[in-house]
Amino acid sequence: MSQPILVAEALSSGYGKFQVLFDVSFRVYENEILAVVGPNGSGKSTLLKTVFGLTTIYSGSVIYRGRDITRLPPYVKARIGVAYLPQTDNVFAELTVKENLLMAAYTLEESEARDRIEEVLNLYPVLKERLSYKARSLSGGERQMLALAMTLVRRPDIIMLDEPTANLAPVVARHLLKKISMLRDEMKKTIVLVEQNARAALELGDRALLMVSGRVSYEGPSESLLQDVELGKRYLGLR
Amino acid sequence: MMLVLPSTEYLIYSIAYGSSLALLCMGLTLTYMVTKVPNFAHATLAITGSAVTLLLIDRIYHVFYLEGGASSLGKTPYYTLYLIAPISAFLIVGLVALIQYLLVLRPLSSRGVGVIGLMIATLAFDIILVNILTLTLYLMPTAYFGKLIGPSLKGFDVSVSALGISTSFSRLALPVIAVTLAIALHLFLTRTKFGVSLRAAIENPDLARVLGINVDLAYMTSWFIAGGLAGASGALYIFMVENFKPAVASLVIVSVFAGSILGGLGSIYGALLGGFLVGVTETFVVVLIQNILAAYGLPITLTHYQRLFSLLIVIVMLLLAPQGLTGLISRVGRGGR
């Protein structure tokens, strides 16, 4: 197995005084999909937010490529290659598709931004046809596509996705998950995927992290968790 | 029974007043969108613009007319004032608004103070600012102030006559400057990278931060622009009033809120329209209704109650279309859904 790109050690965090995560440790390896699964309220989304610096961290550390990034502000993390895609409000609804992409490339030089936007538009041609549309007029799937495109504009090494298929029709969700696996297979990205649909996430993922009540209950190959009848039944509703 | 229509000169005044309110409403709405708090000091920011103009003209009058500079300049400074005054007021009042944000709203907001607390804080800032302005104007130890009873710049305004209509230059300049500033703001917000980032930061600050946008800078810029618009508005409005008193802000703020609520409080373009309509209603429409009532034998002086009409607009809008004109227009655009 390759070196871990991101290591979380004994993370405890929450919102103000409300603690959600308790001593959470995990590793993310280069060019893998780590599927984070667990029941509602188990702290999956908080885990991603904590790594990205959007919660109150009480203790523990986050090491990215050997560098301690625990206390770095989110925009600095974004600049050094860590991307986080929130579950909702992940695009600017009142801005056009073009303006959204421009904002995603905000920190880049103009010519570089132009090239990268062109690059992601080639990946998601549907957005090319909607450049002058306001994001709020896009369908759910198109919006998630735009959000993903905005993430890719910054060419991150590791992308943390928080329930990207939530509220999408099954066929659109399947299409989106396929696009996510393409990010790993073709673009060699590392993905941390929080997903409510545990089976889909485990089938897609290389390794899995099972969260229960703010703690890690399992970390290992996705396949093993998928076949663990006891854990699957108790926490993931799998039969 | 004879209906007398308001004069064309009054219509021009009405449009100028409406333009002045439109600028104020745009600024108020911009700060509301950023901080989600109605700024009770916004009208006083405009009055600060008036005071800046007053002091500026006083200095020019003092230097060029009382100390001999006038011989070389003639009457030229009067005209240039229409450019110098709003630009100076824009910059200075923009800074005052920025100070209000940095010293009052941002620290309180970061300490978790709620909307009510922040609203009261803007009220407190308003009282402090009005008193500073009153004191400054009272203490102004200059020749011009001493020469006139109650500061007014009406005497500095220039008459313009065309097509049989006579009006003052300030009344023509206000709508032109309001439209120019509105277009400039629109271009800034839609055609520049920083302007777009400002809209992004207002809409979704968390996402903006994630993308590396400096949200704090965007907020500060919004407050500066809002203050600047108020200052420019006040700078020109003072040419049209007599016996200028900073305390008049407490009346003007009613009209500003009315215009902003009519516009929808979520769109600066809606605010532009709302402010203009409230301004025209408070002046032209009120006089028109007054004349109609007089024609029917009911001579009531409605102009004393002009702000009652603003409040009526607020009540009707909140009852029938709480989203304001912007919401109404987009609902019509969606076919009533």
Side-chain angles (χ1 to χ4, degrees), chain A residues 16-83:
Chain A
K17 287 178 183 168
F18 181 67
Q19 187 166 354
V20 179
L21 299 185
F22 301 86
D23 280 326
V24 170
S25 300
F26 65 95
R27 284 161 185 244
V28 186
Y29 292 92
E30 195 105 45
N31 194 28
E32 74 166 358
I33 293 181
L34 176 72
V36 182
V37 292
N40 278 338
S42 58
K44 304 185 295 288
S45 296
T46 305
L47 181 74
L48 298 194
K49 285 181 186 167
T50 299
V51 171
F52 203 65
L54 298 170
T55 59
T56 314
I57 299 176
Y58 312 126
S59 60
S61 63
V62 180
I63 310 293
Y64 170 67
R65 294 197 184 283
R67 177 182 175 186
D68 188 342
I69 60 162
T70 320
R71 309 276 167 193
L72 288 183
Y75 69 88
V76 177
K77 289 178 183 171
R79 284 178 192 180
I80 60 173
V82 181

Side-chain angles (χ1 to χ4, degrees), chain A residues 13 24 46 56 69 83 90 126 128 135 171 174 177 181 183 189 195 220:
Chain A
S13 70
V24 170
T46 305
T56 314
I69 60 162
N90 49 23
V126 66
K128 220 173 194 170
V171 63
R174 270 197 300 278
L177 289 174
S181 70
L183 295 180
K189 301 290 179 194
E195 181 57 54

Side-chain angles (χ1 to χ4, degrees), chain B residues 184-197:
Chain B
L185 184 62
H186 170 76
L187 293 176
F188 167 69
L189 290 173
T190 55
R191 303 287 165 86
T192 67
K193 187 175 160 186
F194 186 64
V196 177
S197 79

Side-chain angles (χ1 to χ4, degrees), chain B residues 38-52:
Chain B
N39 181 15
F40 278 86
H42 197 73
T44 306
L45 291 176
I47 299 302
T48 311
S50 301
V52 166

Side-chain angles (χ1 to χ4, degrees), chain A residues 75-181:
Chain A
Y75 69 88
V76 177
K77 289 178 183 171
R79 284 178 192 180
I80 60 173
V82 181
Y84 163 65
L85 190 64
Q87 181 184 349
T88 53
D89 294 331
N90 49 23
V91 298
F92 299 107
E94 293 303 318
L95 266 54
T96 63
V97 169
K98 188 180 176 188
E99 286 172 336
N100 266 286
L101 291 169
L102 273 174
M103 288 303 99
Y106 189 76
T107 53
L108 305 176
E109 290 293 325
E110 205 180 318
S111 60
E112 198 180 2
R114 219 180 11 246
D115 292 347
R116 291 204 193 174
I117 288 172
E118 195 56 45
E119 197 178 288
V120 294
L121 285 174
N122 289 333
L123 280 175
Y124 304 106
V126 66
L127 296 176
K128 220 173 194 170
E129 298 155 20
R130 308 256 194 282
L131 278 179
S132 59
Y133 286 44
K134 285 205 171 175
R136 69 173 145 82
S137 69
L138 301 179
S139 68
E142 287 168 347
R143 264 193 201 212
Q144 291 295 33
M145 215 77 93
L146 173 61
L148 212 51
M150 285 168 71
T151 306
L152 290 176
V153 163
R154 283 168 286 139
R155 284 193 191 150
D157 289 337
I158 178 165
I159 306 171
M160 300 187 291
L161 303 166
D162 191 1
E163 299 200 26
T165 64
N167 304 319
L168 294 184
V171 63
V172 183
R174 270 197 300 278
H175 179 66
L176 194 67
L177 289 174
K178 205 171 152 191
K179 289 274 181 193
I180 291 169
S181 70

